[in-house]
Amino acid sequence: MVERSSKRGKKAPPVGRRAQSAGKESSPSPQVIALVYDFDGTLSPKPMQEYAFLPKLGIEPKEFWAECTRVSKAERADALITYMHLLYKKAKQLDVRIDRADLVAQGKHVELYPGVEGWFDAMHAYVHKRPGGAGIEVRHYLVSSGLVEIIEGTKIYKHFSNVFASEYWFEAYDLPFPKRVISDTGKTQYLFRINKGIEDLGESINAHMPESKRPIPFSNFIYFGDGDTDVPSMALLKKNGGHAVAVHEPGESDAKCVELFKAGRCDFYAGADYRKGSDLFRRTTLLLDRIIADIRVKEEVKALG
């Protein structure tokens, strides 16, 4: 049966616990560059549920996602809430026990694109070694409609300053109930939270904060995504002076990325190969060079009064 609580596994810390207080208005030191990632199709080739969750239920992924689409259209329901509901509904029907600890354990089975595991440290090292890079900090964030519980079990979870993803509430229901659902447009809320330094989800981000007081300006962001679900985030950043990179399956069609590039949604596109020397690595470091230079120019202007 589906477990109602997470007693078998260690409970994760609340999302945003590492966040800055909204009341801190002093300029940050050091300067921060935020690299923000989608997960499915961006860091990993397939939706994370396809590596262990659906196989455990004996369900073909193509059939499951097709059913999710049919149900959400028939019921005029949110597609993400629909998939989260159907996953556990089918588990209960099959008398398969799955709780929070099980989902975290499933994260070990998630595959990553080439070079992803070493990418995060490589970005830190690159900025640290660049002329003008001294005192600049690189932070990695994940904003995903996937499941935070599965992400916690992946090899790369430790690299993120914060993870904003969909999540279940296991405590009070026969079936785990969606606690947080992050939609395509909803992702932009979390970009504003990073921008304003209000990463604690218990705090509102609606109060006005002058651009000069925001800890990480949008011009210091690079967003990585793979398709239409990332368009709102890419559009927000590009409109506000930030940057975006579209990725595609290595060796497969880049048509969607080309479409995003021509529409002005991204600065660059490349195959999802995160190894040193790849097009993705080279184009990302070009953007890092640009951001570093921009940070130093602003500092010089400020010093002149």
Side-chain angles (χ1 to χ4, degrees):
M1 288 296 294
V2 178
E3 191 74 0
R4 295 199 305 175
S5 71
S6 55
K7 293 180 181 178
R8 291 173 51 208
K10 181 174 68 175
K11 191 171 183 179
V15 175
R17 181 58 63 85
R18 288 164 281 186
Q20 290 183 321
S21 168
K24 294 183 179 180
E25 295 187 349
S26 59
S27 297
S29 181
Q31 293 278 12
V32 177
I33 297 175
L35 304 187
V36 185
Y37 310 83
D38 174 44
F39 194 90
D40 297 337
T42 299
L43 299 176
S44 177
K46 300 188 298 185
M48 62 186 71
Q49 301 84 358
E50 295 186 12
Y51 290 101
F53 203 147
L54 293 179
K56 186 169 185 175
L57 301 181
I59 298 173
E60 287 293 326
K62 186 175 181 179
E63 295 177 5
F64 175 76
W65 298 119
E67 182 177 356
C68 289
T69 300
R70 289 196 304 271
V71 172
S72 63
K73 287 184 177 180
E75 299 296 333
R76 307 179 85 177
D78 182 271
L80 295 175
I81 294 177
T82 300
Y83 101 71
M84 293 177 73
H85 170 71
L86 284 180
L87 278 176
Y88 270 93
K89 180 179 179 181
K90 290 184 177 296
K92 184 175 183 179
Q93 290 171 343
L94 295 169
D95 198 29
V96 174
R97 171 183 172 149
I98 297 176
D99 63 11
R100 192 180 204 290
D102 293 315
L103 288 183
V104 173
Q106 288 179 18
K108 295 185 296 184
H109 301 283
V110 174
E111 297 175 6
L112 302 168
Y113 277 123
V116 168
E117 288 186 56
W119 168 269
F120 306 97
D121 288 337
M123 293 295 102
H124 291 284
Y126 182 85
V127 171
H128 178 71
K129 294 177 181 178
R130 297 302 292 169
I136 296 178
E137 177 187 353
V138 176
R139 295 182 191 169
H140 303 278
Y141 292 89
L142 187 65
V143 182
S144 171
S145 59
L147 299 177
V148 69
E149 297 92 349
I150 294 178
I151 293 167
E152 285 177 23
T154 66
K155 299 175 183 177
I156 59 174
Y157 176 67
K158 62 185 179 182
H159 292 290
F160 297 109
S161 293
N162 217 331
V163 171
F164 302 105
S166 300
E167 187 174 3
Y168 281 108
W169 207 327
F170 291 88
E171 305 292 336
Y173 302 90
D174 288 333
L175 285 177
F177 191 80
K179 179 179 182 181
R180 183 180 306 105
V181 178
I182 299 184
S183 64
D184 305 346
T185 54
K187 288 182 178 182
T188 59
Q189 173 197 159
Y190 301 96
L191 298 182
F192 275 108
R193 286 190 175 278
I194 297 167
N195 167 239
K196 292 184 173 183
I198 308 175
E199 298 176 27
D200 186 335
L201 299 187
E203 297 183 54
S204 172
I205 60 167
N206 295 327
H208 174 69
M209 181 183 291
E211 295 288 341
S212 61
K213 300 297 184 182
R214 299 184 183 191
I216 311 179
F218 282 130
S219 57
N220 287 17
F221 278 60
I222 304 176
Y223 182 89
F224 299 83
D226 68 297
D228 290 336
T229 60
D230 300 297
V231 166
S233 296
M234 291 178 171
L236 171 69
L237 289 180
K238 291 291 289 176
K239 182 179 179 180
N240 288 278
H243 312 279
V245 178
V247 302
H248 60 86
E249 177 83 27
E252 300 295 329
S253 173
D254 62 1
K256 173 53 63 178
C257 290
V258 172
E259 179 183 328
L260 293 171
F261 181 72
K262 289 183 176 179
R265 302 302 193 190
C266 60
D267 297 86
F268 294 124
Y269 63 88
D273 182 346
Y274 291 79
R275 293 172 291 190
K276 291 183 179 180
S278 68
D279 287 340
L280 179 59
F281 195 99
R282 181 172 57 83
R283 290 166 186 165
T284 298
T285 55
L286 283 173
L287 292 176
L288 289 174
D289 288 342
R290 183 175 180 177
I291 294 171
I292 292 170
D294 188 50
I295 288 173
R296 297 313 180 201
V297 167
K298 290 177 180 177
E299 288 178 343
E300 191 72 13
V301 170
K302 185 177 181 180
L304 293 174

